[in-house]
Amino acid sequence: MSFDLETDATNTWCPGCGNFSVLRGIKEGLGDLFNKDYMKKDIVISAGIGCHAKIFDYLDLNGFYGLHGRVPPVLMGVKIANPDLTVIGFAGDGDILNEGVSHLIHAAKRNLDATIIIHNNRVYALTTGQFSPTSPKGFKGKSTPEGSPEEPLNPLHLLIGSNASFIARCYSGERKHFKETFKKAVRHKGFSVIEMLQPCVAFYNTWDYYNDRVVKLTESDHDPTNKQLAWKEATYQEDRIPIGIFYKEQRKTFTENLTGPKPTDKKQRDIKKLLKKLS
């Protein structure tokens, strides 16, 4: 583990929260990458709003703590300014599959060279238990005491239809699997997304549910270049929930396809006049 990523922020996640596994997997994964081709100063992170977003405070990295659902456009601005940076975003299921769903779709379509972790606990946890876009039909929460009448959104189906070039699903109960998948997502040149099945112990405790159903996709039983197969495997089933890399392809990234304004050069610029004008 790279302890260089530690901060002095007090962790306020509930004991047993699935986010702890995500945080540790990120630290371990980046620690491995820092020992090879990546440097800490070249990593930029962003987060939306929600319990997931507290991870921003627990990682000593450069970044921008944004608004609900605005992680993709923040990362896009960073990459346009400097395509050499590695950008990583953290978003919740309500955060990016509701408020920010349009940003997610267009970032996937454009193949922005970015990695986004969707913390999917299938509930609005920070606001104490309302149903989210991924809550199952019949979910009983504070906003749906009689049960949600809606069918849940499948994030991976949305991303397959939006032409994301790297699509994976992981589970908080399989931290080492997440760590290795995360490293592959970061190394991927293009838009890489991991749906993280992350139980919320306070408002939707799914540890036992996932422990009984999660299975790993292996290279021997799944071809990640087959989009139709990816769609089939990504379907939630009552008795079997696969995790792993469902789909990946290589194609030009958004910044490589830009024909308009070129990314800014690395010349140092004085922005004091601009800040004074905007103040």
Side-chain angles (χ1 to χ4, degrees):
M1 178 183 292
S2 171
F3 292 96
D4 291 335
L5 297 176
E6 298 291 337
T7 73
D8 58 4
T10 300
N11 194 308
T12 58
W13 285 329
C14 300
C17 175
N19 277 321
F20 284 102
S21 178
V22 182
L23 176 62
R24 185 172 174 185
I26 294 291
K27 287 182 176 178
E28 291 180 344
L30 287 178
D32 289 352
L33 293 173
F34 290 159
N35 293 328
K36 296 181 179 178
D37 305 322
Y38 294 83
M39 299 181 69
K40 180 180 174 182
K41 69 179 182 62
D42 294 329
I43 304 289
V44 178
I45 63 173
S46 184
I49 291 177
C51 286
H52 78 275
K54 296 179 182 179
I55 198 170
F56 188 93
D57 295 329
Y58 309 145
L59 290 169
D60 183 21
L61 292 167
N62 296 312
F64 184 90
Y65 204 153
L67 299 175
H68 252 137
R70 269 54 178 181
V71 167
V74 168
L75 300 184
M76 181 175 295
V78 173
K79 289 296 289 189
I80 290 174
N82 187 349
D84 293 334
L85 295 174
T86 297
V87 296
I88 302 169
F90 302 94
D93 47 302
D95 174 56
I96 203 165
L97 298 173
N98 193 354
E99 289 93 338
V101 67
S102 177
H103 294 303
L104 178 68
I105 290 170
H106 288 280
K109 176 173 70 73
R110 292 164 181 159
N111 201 28
L112 177 70
D113 186 18
T115 298
I116 290 185
I117 313 298
I118 300 178
H119 300 231
N120 185 9
N121 56 19
R122 309 179 79 180
V123 67
Y124 277 95
L126 190 65
T127 50
T128 69
Q130 295 79 17
F131 85 112
S132 86
T134 58
S135 298
K137 187 176 181 179
F139 173 83
K140 293 184 178 180
K142 290 187 175 179
S143 59
T144 54
E146 301 300 323
S148 168
E150 301 180 14
E151 293 291 340
L153 181 66
N154 184 316
L156 300 195
H157 283 172
L158 177 70
L159 290 160
I160 291 170
S162 302
N163 286 327
S165 57
F166 182 106
I167 300 168
R169 178 189 289 149
C170 292
Y171 169 47
S172 291
E174 294 285 350
R175 178 178 52 78
K176 291 182 179 179
H177 176 266
F178 167 61
K179 167 190 164 184
E180 296 303 321
T181 306
F182 168 69
K183 289 191 293 184
K184 291 175 182 175
V186 171
R187 291 193 182 105
H188 176 75
K189 198 74 172 174
F191 196 66
S192 55
V193 185
I194 298 176
E195 177 197 10
M196 191 70 185
L197 303 177
Q198 175 253 305
C200 168
V201 292
F203 299 105
Y204 193 37
N205 192 337
T206 51
W207 282 113
D208 289 341
Y209 177 82
Y210 287 131
N211 285 337
D212 291 340
R213 293 166 174 80
V214 163
V215 296
K216 295 176 186 172
L217 289 180
T218 64
E219 293 182 0
S220 61
D221 60 18
H222 179 70
D223 175 9
T225 66
N226 186 327
K227 189 170 283 190
Q228 290 182 329
L229 183 59
W231 181 279
K232 180 181 177 183
E233 291 286 5
T235 302
Y236 291 121
Q237 300 179 43
E238 185 56 35
D239 61 343
R240 179 177 177 272
I241 300 177
I243 59 173
I245 299 172
F246 290 74
Y247 183 74
K248 62 180 180 181
E249 66 171 327
Q250 291 294 331
R251 68 175 195 269
K252 279 190 173 183
T253 67
F254 177 68
T255 50
E256 289 173 336
N257 279 321
L258 280 179
T259 55
K262 299 297 182 185
T264 55
D265 57 39
K266 296 181 180 178
K267 181 181 178 181
Q268 295 293 320
R269 298 177 188 278
D270 187 352
I271 63 170
K272 291 181 180 177
K273 290 183 179 179
L274 176 61
L275 293 176
K276 185 176 181 179
K277 184 178 179 181
L278 295 174
S279 64

